Amino acid sequence: MPVMSLREDFLQYVTLRTGIRYAEQVGQMSGSAEIGPYNEDRVDDDDVKITPRTLYTYFGSLQKKFSPNSVYQSIYGSAITKGEGLKTTEITRQVLNFLSAKVGEALYDHQWDAKRNAEGTKTVDLFDGFDTITEKEITAKTISVANGNMVNVDPSTINSTNAVEVLKTIYRAADPHLRRLKTQMFVTPSIYDAYCDDYKTTTGAIPYNTQFKQTFVEGSENRCEIVPLSNKAGSKYIHLTTKQNMLVGVCQEGDDESVAVEKHEAFRLLFVMTMFYGVEFETISKERLLVAGKVTA
């Protein structure tokens, strides 16, 4: 249920990796191979290389007390049962589905801003989100203008008078290999609204402007989809990348992950859940990722 709660609004744009407990090596292959005029003495000995990254999934837990009778009374006006019988009632099943979905909603809310804190108690403390990973890579100078995987554009300056031009500028700053691919530009909802408003004002009633809703960056030949996500609100970055490059790691198998209902007291139950979760970019190379953000000295 937590993973299903992510699927509607987020997982369609990312790649879900299952069966990951704690860590898995990922990365991008690089190298070249070209056929040339026949020469029996010519040998290409440049090796194929893999630039490794690690997709970490962190082990999380939840224990929550709840009283099925309290829920039942609030709806129907009378208690239903007690003891072990509480664990098998229909209202208990409904409560469990509700709580599991809430876990998924919290995961969705923090896909970008989560920051790992082993001493924390909330979902935002469980793993490093995509923005947090981005910040670390910028600090390490592995994401930079010099490396070609960053462009100096401050998202906070985008408004309804310049959004079309700015998003086109970001897209055109991408490496030619990235522009060849089907990509997504992850933006805040406010930037998307500004783009739609600016597009309508800028293009007016020209023949190909047939609707207010604009889902692709103009000039991308429908290769670059603009993806506004509510969980990206307030982000300092715009990410242009592919679905394959956005990794979400879970386990979903084995004995370590579980959902259980324990009888805590005569009239109260304990909802117990454990699961692995984490996100990562498969690669931060300019051929697969471009970050737009304000460059500071």
Side-chain angles (χ1 to χ4, degrees):
M1 181 64 79
V3 175
M4 290 299 294
S5 297
L6 285 169
R7 190 174 301 276
E8 292 182 4
D9 197 17
F10 186 67
L11 290 187
Q12 60 179 310
Y13 300 113
V14 300
T15 300
L16 185 67
R17 294 279 186 91
T18 60
I20 301 177
R21 297 171 66 256
Y22 300 109
E24 179 178 276
Q25 288 294 114
V26 297
Q28 180 187 12
M29 290 186 182
S30 61
S32 62
E34 294 188 31
I35 191 169
Y38 177 79
N39 184 333
E40 61 186 27
D41 297 320
R42 185 181 66 246
V43 177
D44 182 352
D45 57 6
D46 288 339
D47 201 0
V48 175
K49 300 178 181 178
I50 297 179
T51 304
R53 294 182 66 79
T54 303
L55 170 58
Y56 291 102
T57 61
Y58 297 93
F59 195 48
S61 65
L62 167 67
Q63 297 186 72
K64 185 176 181 66
K65 295 179 185 178
F66 69 98
S67 169
N69 281 340
S70 296
V71 179
Y72 187 87
Q73 286 177 310
S74 66
I75 302 175
Y76 300 107
S78 62
I80 46 176
T81 188
K82 62 182 179 180
E84 287 293 322
L86 282 172
K87 295 166 63 174
T88 58
T89 62
E90 180 59 31
I91 196 67
T92 296
R93 295 189 186 95
Q94 293 181 30
V95 170
L96 294 181
N97 281 335
F98 172 79
L99 292 176
S100 295
K102 284 297 181 182
V103 171
E105 289 178 17
L107 287 171
Y108 171 83
D109 288 341
H110 298 292
Q111 292 301 301
W112 302 91
D113 70 345
K115 189 172 184 179
R116 174 67 177 172
N117 175 14
E119 304 302 318
T121 61
K122 304 293 185 180
T123 301
V124 71
D125 305 309
L126 178 60
F127 63 100
D128 282 342
F130 287 112
D131 275 2
T132 302
I133 294 169
T134 299
E135 287 182 354
K136 290 182 176 181
E137 299 291 352
I138 291 173
T139 300
K141 300 188 184 304
T142 47
I143 290 180
S144 67
V145 174
N147 288 339
N149 53 5
M150 187 172 186
V151 59
N152 186 12
V153 173
D154 185 355
S156 67
T157 64
I158 299 175
N159 55 53
S160 60
T161 66
N162 65 8
V164 171
E165 195 61 36
V166 174
L167 265 58
K168 285 166 62 177
T169 298
I170 293 171
Y171 180 72
R172 291 173 181 177
D175 184 87
H177 293 87
L178 183 57
R179 290 181 60 178
R180 265 200 332 240
L181 304 175
K182 184 177 180 181
T183 56
Q184 292 130 182
M185 184 181 288
F186 294 99
V187 301
T188 65
S190 60
I191 289 177
Y192 177 71
D193 290 342
Y195 185 90
C196 289
D197 291 342
D198 190 28
Y199 191 88
K200 181 67 174 178
T201 302
T202 302
T203 60
I206 58 177
Y208 62 84
N209 181 27
T210 59
Q211 60 180 1
F212 181 76
K213 179 182 178 182
Q214 301 299 323
T215 56
F216 294 93
V217 174
E218 186 183 42
S220 70
E221 297 181 346
N222 286 359
R223 289 196 185 103
C224 181
E225 181 179 4
I226 305 172
V227 180
L229 296 172
S230 61
N231 59 13
K232 193 105 163 93
S235 173
K236 297 187 296 182
Y237 306 106
I238 292 173
H239 290 82
L240 173 62
T241 188
T242 65
K243 177 177 180 177
Q244 180 183 353
N245 199 41
M246 299 281 288
L247 303 182
V248 172
V250 294
C251 184
Q252 300 287 289
E253 57 188 49
D255 297 331
D256 289 328
E257 288 194 330
S258 64
V259 178
V261 183
E262 304 293 343
K263 187 173 77 67
H264 185 67
E265 298 165 355
F267 295 100
R268 303 182 76 183
L269 299 177
L270 186 66
F271 172 61
V272 182
M273 173 180 284
T274 56
M275 68 178 294
F276 290 91
Y277 196 86
V279 304
E280 184 56 87
F281 298 110
E282 185 176 49
T283 176
I284 58 171
S285 71
K286 63 181 180 179
E287 291 85 6
R288 292 295 183 272
L289 175 69
L290 180 69
V291 176
K294 182 179 181 181
V295 176
T296 57

